[in-house]
Amino acid sequence: MMHQPFLEKLALHIREKHPGLGQRLCIVLPNRRAGLFLKRHLIPAGDVPVWAPSIFSMEDFTASLSGLQVADPLELMTTLYEAHLKTEGSAASDFDGFYGWGRGLIRDFEDTDQYLIKPDTLFTYLSESKAMALWNPDQRPLTDFETKYLKFFNSLTDYYKEYTRNLLGRKNAYHGLACRVVAESPEAYCDAVQWDHILFAGFNALTPAQLTIIRYFIKSGKAEILWDADAYYLENAHQEAGLFLRKYKEDQGLGGFDEITDYFKTSARNITIAGVPRFTGQANLAGSILKNLTEAGDPAILNKTAVVLADESLLLPLLNAIPPEAGDFNITMGFPLQQSPVYNLFDSIFEMHVHATEGKSAGEARFYYRHLLAVLQHSYIQYLAGQQALAPVISGIRNSNKPFAGISDLETAGDQSEGLGKLLHLLMKKPVSVYGFTRQLAGIINTLKSGLTEGTEKERRINQAENEILYNIALIINKLQVLVGKAGYIGELRTLHALFREAAAASPVAFYGEPLKGIQVMGMLETRVLDFENIILISANEDILPSARNHNTFIPFEIRREFGLPTHHEQQAVFAYHFYRLLQRCTNAWLIYNAEADELGGGEKSRFLSQIMHELPACSPLNHISEVKPAFDAKLGMPGEITVHKDEAILEKITAISRKGISPTAITQYLNCSLKYYFNYVLGPGETEEVEETMDFRTLGTIIHEVVQRFFEPFVGSFPLEHDYNQMQKQAEQAIAEALQKHFPGGETTKGRNLLIIKVAEVWIRRFLEMEAETGYNPANGDHLIALEKQLTAPLTIDVPGQGKITVTLKGTADRIDRVNGHTRIIDYKTGKVEARSLKINDVASVFAPAKEIKEKAFQLLFYLYLAGRENIAAGDFSAGIITFRSLKDGYLPLLLQNNDSQPVSEAFEDELTRLLEELFNPGVPFAQTTFREHCSNCPYKAICNRDEVKRF
């Protein structure tokens, strides 16, 4: 049974000590959320209404006293930049350069004011320490960089004065400045308050400025402070959770500690520590715990349950894991705007325009295809335009081979409706200015809003949440528009994009509903002064709880400690208090951490967990702590093998393919993996076409084949002479350019990797021509080219059980057939690596046998030999081989058959091929995954098969 919650205790104190004050009583709490829960405890038992007291968070309270408005992060950043411009003059950085370090300076100014440090003293000390670090005993003059470095630190006081002067002149402030204004003149701000009494409750780590204000009210008899502390960490000098409270206990100006609880010693609690892998595992375990709680039978138990996220990025996985049985739940932290699809769309639009280049005309922009596709394939743009309408546009971008595309390029991609044309123009219009771009974004928002409010009632209900998120995006864009309008220094879209991201990070989307009903989902800071019977804490890992030392600051640790500014030690003490106070009154707690290490380590549970495992049981046997390694019901074994049985439709498709012609490539693919053959040729989904930014080797091979064919085609029936080869050398560059225009249209070939590949192609062709010229072909002796790019075909009849005789068409293309010294050669050109051993086979049957490495090139040459023999092209002395442009010094590499005395090659090949094709048509032999996982490494379908890659060393 949970002890009396702190807020219930506070409500009782108010009713007993301050009855009837109503709004003349002011309650100040650490956060706003606590005020809602306090009001629930203040509801009277009878039906007689009472006036509720005024309830503030500390930030709202000090802002109210000072009469200042706490500015949002955008306002603070731009105001500091104005101070930077005024201080640095002509040497000022642009906003892009300033933005990166401006946030650290804002935080340092916040600390300076909260801790009532004199800016002149602190920043003078800081600049002198920097000067000492650069002191040169040898009198060497400072470099230009060192001079600017020192000048910046010497100017920090000026930055501070100009920054605060501008804010105060607009009646604005940051929280620390508001606290300082009140703390330095408390009589001017505190004497005339409207309340008869002020009650500060539940605080732990107060700043000197806040303490000064509280002490003034207590000294004047207008205030008191109630602490929430347990003897376990308060009276143990080694417990960091009590670091601040021990100091306050000795501070006479704050009054005494009325009551110190001893719950860790006197109350029973069950704590379960669980390590599970990754975010999803933690979220699923939390969902499983919630389901078990609902099955306990007490419907009110979930109102006493909180799920606390030490790492708030786990919100989405958690929401997906909360079981339907859990009913209502309330997200106190709000939904992170940056995790919403609407934000992703606008972030992609920003990204697209930031990296845009000049278009074909002055008013057109060209966008990098990946950024453009990210926008056009976004679900909301698909929803507005229609998936079918956008399909030809997207296909046109993929097939264009242009890394950048503009609106004029998209207009040629099929017929476009008027609505689609307007949408594309709105998305891709080149902004005339940064301000113009904010108006363009506002137009996109209005278009989205209209689209999301149309449709059926059901669709409108589904879109309601998206509209709420879109409203928050609209607020940010409106702020940016106002900001850009009055601040001429925001001249780059990149800067506007950074400000958009900054504003979105600070703008969670509030969820509307009953805030006090059901499970509470909250961040660590929102748990302050709240108590729950059941606690589920997620991401209880080191460097998250407590957080890592990653604060951006210009003030080094030693100087912070010298001036009493907070360091990571104080920050960790704050986390420790939140952690122990969370457990203070609970009955059951599940502390879950990520047990799986990543590339940089990790997987370590928080040291707070290790501490309680050793210390709490020693404090009291009522604390029962267990550590478990949960096992989920999900079966994570190896996936089953995929097989596809050949029904009538599949057999018909195979028959249709066989009539058109089966190539050696298709057959070797079947030998490698029959399932891949099914995907590629029978099912035929094909691989997703991608823009070919960098020319791949297939395109390179096609270009070289075409150039060689163009040069040699006029000489079929003979061979070129020496002067012909010289003429080809002169024409090589132009021939390559024309082939590029045909096979790589729109591709960037004047720079980068593509230019290098083209130069390689040119070198290869020139060397090939030199090799051919040096071979010394003699047409007078009968040496001649028989054919180039020769289409070879032959029918083959097979006998399929249940289907009878079926005639299959075999087809292939021989790059070159020639006759040299009375020997006929069938030559295949390759641009890839070819080793002579891959063309050596023991017998014909070996190329058909399943193996880790199918000898595809040897099979292809055997296939060509067979077809050429069937067409009576290769008669007498003949062979098949390869010329590889990658290693032209090897010359002609023939296929070598080592042991085939018992049967002619053509007969043996036909027998094996017949057997294989009969298997392909056999309905009793399904398509199946290869047993050799080495074949899966580069397979485009490996994700379907869930096959791991086998790495070759």
Side-chain angles (χ1 to χ4, degrees):
M1 186 71 179
M2 186 176 74
H3 284 277
Q4 183 184 39
F6 176 75
L7 290 180
E8 184 179 317
K9 172 184 166 184
L10 174 60
L12 182 62
H13 176 87
I14 292 169
R15 283 197 290 267
E16 291 179 351
K17 302 292 184 181
H18 309 287
L21 279 183
Q23 289 188 319
R24 300 195 310 277
L25 175 66
C26 175
I27 311 296
V28 184
L29 298 167
N31 56 39
R32 294 171 185 165
R33 173 63 49 177
L36 288 172
F37 283 82
L38 176 60
K39 288 177 181 178
R40 180 177 65 180
H41 292 294
L42 287 172
I43 296 173
D47 295 330
V48 181
V50 296
W51 287 106
S54 301
I55 302 176
F56 292 91
S57 67
M58 177 58 86
E59 183 173 327
D60 294 338
F61 179 70
T62 51
S64 174
L65 290 178
S66 66
L68 300 171
Q69 177 73 36
V70 175
D72 62 46
L74 284 179
E75 181 73 20
L76 294 178
M77 183 65 73
T78 53
T79 305
L80 181 61
Y81 185 64
E82 291 168 4
H84 170 69
L85 293 175
K86 179 74 178 290
T87 304
E88 300 294 343
S90 59
S93 305
D94 59 22
F95 196 88
D96 263 353
F98 160 82
Y99 178 77
W101 54 265
R103 285 178 293 180
L105 199 55
I106 288 175
R107 182 178 180 275
D108 287 340
F109 288 164
E110 171 75 23
D111 288 346
T112 300
D113 286 336
Q114 286 283 16
Y115 284 77
L116 299 178
I117 308 298
K118 292 182 178 179
D120 291 353
T121 305
L122 172 63
F123 296 129
T124 299
Y125 189 98
L126 177 59
S127 64
E128 288 175 352
S129 73
K130 298 296 181 182
M132 289 180 65
L134 296 176
W135 177 57
N136 297 314
D138 59 359
Q139 301 301 310
R140 177 181 60 82
L142 296 177
T143 65
D144 183 55
F145 175 79
E146 290 171 335
T147 302
K148 291 179 179 178
Y149 179 76
L150 285 181
K151 183 177 181 296
F152 169 75
F153 283 99
N154 289 332
S155 303
L156 286 181
T157 301
D158 296 330
Y159 272 87
Y160 174 85
K161 290 179 179 178
E162 185 67 22
Y163 177 52
T164 54
R165 185 182 67 79
N166 288 345
L167 284 172
L168 293 174
R170 300 167 188 165
K171 294 292 183 182
N172 284 339
Y174 46 91
H175 181 44
L177 181 58
C179 288
R180 184 178 201 124
V181 166
V182 177
E184 288 184 339
S185 303
E187 63 285 345
Y189 295 96
C190 300
D191 288 347
V193 294
Q194 59 184 326
W195 308 290
D196 294 345
H197 194 76
I198 302 171
L199 207 163
F200 298 91
F203 288 95
N204 169 46
L206 292 161
T207 66
Q210 294 167 343
L211 284 169
T212 301
I213 297 169
I214 293 172
R215 287 194 193 101
Y216 185 84
F217 278 118
I218 291 176
K219 185 177 179 180
S220 63
K222 288 186 176 181
E224 63 180 311
I225 186 164
L226 293 182
W227 306 99
D228 186 15
D230 193 89
Y232 171 73
Y233 51 80
L234 181 66
E235 296 175 357
N236 182 351
H238 299 292
Q239 253 295 349
E240 56 189 335
L243 176 68
F244 297 99
L245 293 176
R246 286 191 289 273
K247 296 177 184 177
Y248 303 151
K249 186 179 179 183
E250 303 301 322
D251 190 336
Q252 298 300 316
L254 297 175
F257 271 54
D258 291 339
E259 181 182 348
I260 300 172
T261 66
D262 201 9
Y263 293 145
F264 279 108
K265 193 170 186 177
T266 60
S267 62
R269 61 184 50 76
N270 295 308
I271 300 175
T272 303
I273 296 174
V276 292
R278 297 190 177 270
F279 286 180
T280 306
Q282 295 180 77
N284 286 339
L285 178 56
S288 177
I289 294 168
L290 290 172
K291 186 175 182 180
N292 291 337
L293 285 174
T294 60
E295 292 172 352
D298 181 4
I301 194 169
L302 296 180
N303 294 331
K304 306 171 187 176
T305 301
V307 181
V308 181
L309 304 178
D311 179 358
E312 296 185 6
S313 66
L314 265 74
L315 178 60
L316 277 183
L318 176 67
L319 293 182
N320 289 321
I322 293 177
E325 300 92 330
D328 296 326
F329 58 89
N330 182 57
I331 305 172
T332 66
M333 69 181 74
F335 182 81
L337 186 60
Q338 289 177 301
Q339 295 185 27
S340 68
V342 179
Y343 168 83
N344 290 335
L345 171 60
F346 281 88
D347 191 59
S348 297
I349 294 172
F350 265 107
E351 196 79 16
M352 182 176 78
H353 280 274
V354 165
H355 295 94
T357 63
E358 290 296 324
K360 297 177 182 177
S361 60
E364 183 184 6
R366 298 177 73 223
F367 304 99
Y368 182 52
Y369 83 97
R370 290 189 188 277
H371 297 153
L372 181 56
L373 288 178
V375 173
L376 297 182
Q377 291 180 315
H378 192 280
S379 57
Y380 287 115
I381 299 302
Q382 297 269 324
Y383 177 79
L384 289 177
Q387 191 171 357
Q388 296 300 321
L390 276 174
V393 175
I394 293 171
S395 178
I397 295 171
R398 292 189 185 281
N399 295 330
S400 68
N401 271 346
K402 295 180 180 179
F404 287 84
I407 187 71
S408 59
D409 300 304
L410 270 57
E411 287 172 349
T412 61
D415 297 330
Q416 294 178 10
S417 65
E418 182 180 352
L420 176 58
K422 286 182 178 179
L423 179 62
L424 291 176
H425 180 75
L426 184 61
L427 292 170
M428 300 175 67
K429 177 184 175 183
K430 181 180 179 181
V432 295
S433 64
V434 175
Y435 181 78
F437 186 62
T438 61
R439 297 188 63 180
Q440 190 172 333
L441 291 173
I444 295 171
I445 288 172
N446 289 333
T447 302
L448 274 173
K449 181 181 177 183
S450 299
L452 292 174
T453 52
E454 293 174 355
T456 64
E457 180 64 28
K458 181 179 179 181
E459 289 174 333
R460 288 198 296 272
R461 283 201 306 272
I462 292 172
N463 294 335
Q464 187 174 358
E466 283 82 355
N467 268 316
E468 185 63 35
I469 295 171
L470 188 62
Y471 173 74
N472 282 264
I473 296 286
L475 289 178
I476 293 173
I477 298 301
N478 186 54
K479 285 181 184 177
L480 292 174
Q481 192 170 350
V482 172
L483 188 61
V484 171
K486 70 178 183 180
Y489 46 78
I490 302 178
E492 297 288 337
L493 290 184
R494 189 183 307 276
T495 305
L496 191 71
H497 189 195
L499 291 173
F500 172 74
R501 286 178 168 174
E502 178 92 2
S507 305
V509 181
F511 287 93
Y512 296 100
E514 174 51 59
L516 305 178
K517 185 179 180 183
I519 302 163
Q520 299 294 318
V521 180
M522 55 182 60
M524 200 71 185
L525 292 178
E526 281 134 347
T527 65
R528 289 174 292 182
V529 309
L530 302 181
D531 297 292
F532 298 93
E533 185 171 329
N534 303 297
I535 297 291
I536 303 171
L537 175 62
I538 303 177
S539 269
N541 284 81
E542 193 66 19
D543 288 339
I544 297 176
L545 184 70
S547 62
R549 313 174 192 176
N550 56 358
H551 295 302
N552 186 13
T553 177
F554 287 98
I555 307 172
F557 174 81
E558 293 78 7
I559 296 179
R560 282 186 164 271
R561 190 169 57 183
E562 176 71 21
F563 280 83
L565 289 168
T567 66
H568 62 273
H569 294 306
E570 286 74 25
Q571 182 68 22
Q572 291 174 2
V574 170
F575 271 92
Y577 175 77
H578 293 328
F579 175 74
Y580 281 99
R581 214 213 66 80
L582 194 61
L583 301 178
Q584 195 166 303
R585 294 179 178 85
C586 79
T587 303
N588 302 293
W590 293 267
L591 311 179
I592 307 169
Y593 67 94
N594 178 16
E596 182 169 295
D598 57 22
E599 295 83 358
L600 301 176
E604 180 183 358
K605 62 175 175 281
S606 169
R607 67 172 180 271
F608 294 162
L609 305 191
S610 299
Q611 282 177 216
I612 64 171
M613 288 175 67
H614 292 89
E615 297 174 3
L616 280 187
C619 171
S620 170
L622 295 175
N623 294 301
H624 180 263
I625 301 177
S626 59
E627 186 171 14
V628 298
K629 297 289 184 182
F632 295 103
D633 293 337
K635 295 180 180 179
L636 302 177
M638 291 297 294
E641 293 296 315
I642 299 175
T643 56
V644 177
H645 294 278
K646 299 167 188 172
D647 57 19
E648 187 175 340
I650 291 176
L651 290 171
E652 286 179 2
K653 187 70 180 286
I654 296 172
T655 303
I657 293 169
S658 71
R659 292 195 185 108
K660 290 181 181 179
I662 296 179
S663 67
T665 302
I667 296 174
T668 54
Q669 194 165 109
Y670 182 85
L671 287 169
N672 274 308
C673 176
S674 64
L675 186 65
K676 183 178 179 180
Y677 175 89
Y678 167 76
F679 284 141
N680 252 350
Y681 292 94
V682 181
L683 191 61
E687 299 179 42
T688 302
E689 289 290 334
E690 291 290 347
V691 174
E692 194 180 335
E693 288 182 84
T694 301
M695 190 189 310
D696 65 14
F697 281 99
R698 288 178 300 180
T699 304
L700 174 63
T702 302
I703 289 169
I704 288 178
H705 276 68
E706 178 151 322
V707 171
V708 171
Q709 181 184 5
R710 170 180 169 174
F711 283 161
F712 281 75
E713 203 162 34
F715 302 97
V716 172
S718 181
F719 266 110
L721 301 176
E722 183 177 353
H723 71 274
D724 297 317
Y725 287 115
N726 292 335
Q727 190 66 25
M728 292 177 193
Q729 292 280 8
K730 294 176 183 178
Q731 297 173 355
E733 187 174 349
Q734 178 62 28
I736 291 172
E738 292 176 8
L740 279 168
Q741 187 63 33
K742 179 180 178 181
H743 298 288
F744 195 59
E748 175 58 70
T749 58
T750 60
K751 58 185 177 182
R753 189 175 177 186
N754 284 338
L755 178 60
L756 295 176
I757 293 173
I758 292 167
K759 292 300 181 184
V760 167
E762 188 176 329
V763 169
W764 282 356
I765 288 174
R766 292 189 186 281
R767 288 180 179 173
F768 172 74
L769 294 173
E770 291 170 2
M771 180 191 76
E772 287 289 294
E774 292 170 358
T775 302
Y777 299 117
N778 189 351
N781 286 343
D783 293 353
H784 67 283
L785 292 169
I786 298 173
L788 298 173
E789 299 297 325
K790 174 65 175 176
Q791 300 291 325
L792 302 172
T793 60
L796 179 64
T797 302
I798 61 174
D799 190 3
V800 181
Q803 300 181 57
K805 302 287 186 181
I806 294 177
T807 299
V808 176
T809 301
L810 306 175
K811 67 177 183 179
T813 303
D815 294 333
R816 166 174 160 181
I817 302 175
D818 63 18
R819 190 164 183 82
V820 178
N821 295 326
H823 180 81
T824 302
R825 302 185 304 176
I826 302 172
I827 300 174
D828 191 46
Y829 297 134
K830 298 291 185 186
T831 53
K833 184 179 179 181
V834 179
E835 295 179 351
R837 65 180 180 86
S838 67
L839 302 180
K840 293 179 181 179
I841 57 174
N842 291 326
D843 51 38
V844 171
S846 64
V847 299
F848 287 89
K852 288 185 179 180
E853 187 175 352
I854 299 292
K855 292 194 173 184
E856 297 179 11
K857 298 178 181 67
F859 179 88
Q860 186 177 16
L861 295 178
L862 280 170
F863 195 90
Y864 291 157
L865 281 173
Y866 175 74
L867 292 182
R870 291 284 301 273
E871 290 196 13
N872 296 319
I873 293 174
D877 185 19
F878 64 93
S879 68
I882 288 174
I883 293 177
T884 172
F885 284 78
R886 191 176 287 259
S887 184
L888 288 167
K889 61 180 176 57
D890 295 334
Y892 174 70
L893 298 171
L895 172 69
L896 298 177
L897 191 62
Q898 296 173 333
N899 300 310
N900 202 69
D901 299 332
S902 60
Q903 187 181 19
V905 173
S906 61
E907 289 183 17
F909 184 80
E910 183 174 302
D911 289 346
E912 292 292 338
L913 186 58
T914 300
R915 179 194 58 77
L916 185 72
L917 291 174
E918 287 175 351
E919 177 188 296
L920 173 62
F921 279 85
N922 189 341
V925 181
F927 294 109
Q929 293 166 291
T930 178
T931 56
F932 299 101
R933 289 177 177 260
E934 290 81 0
H935 300 169
C936 303
S937 297
N938 298 314
C939 178
Y941 308 109
K942 63 185 177 187
I944 298 175
C945 296
N946 199 18
R947 281 280 178 93
D948 296 326
E949 293 186 35
V950 175
K951 296 183 179 180
R952 300 176 181 176
F953 297 93

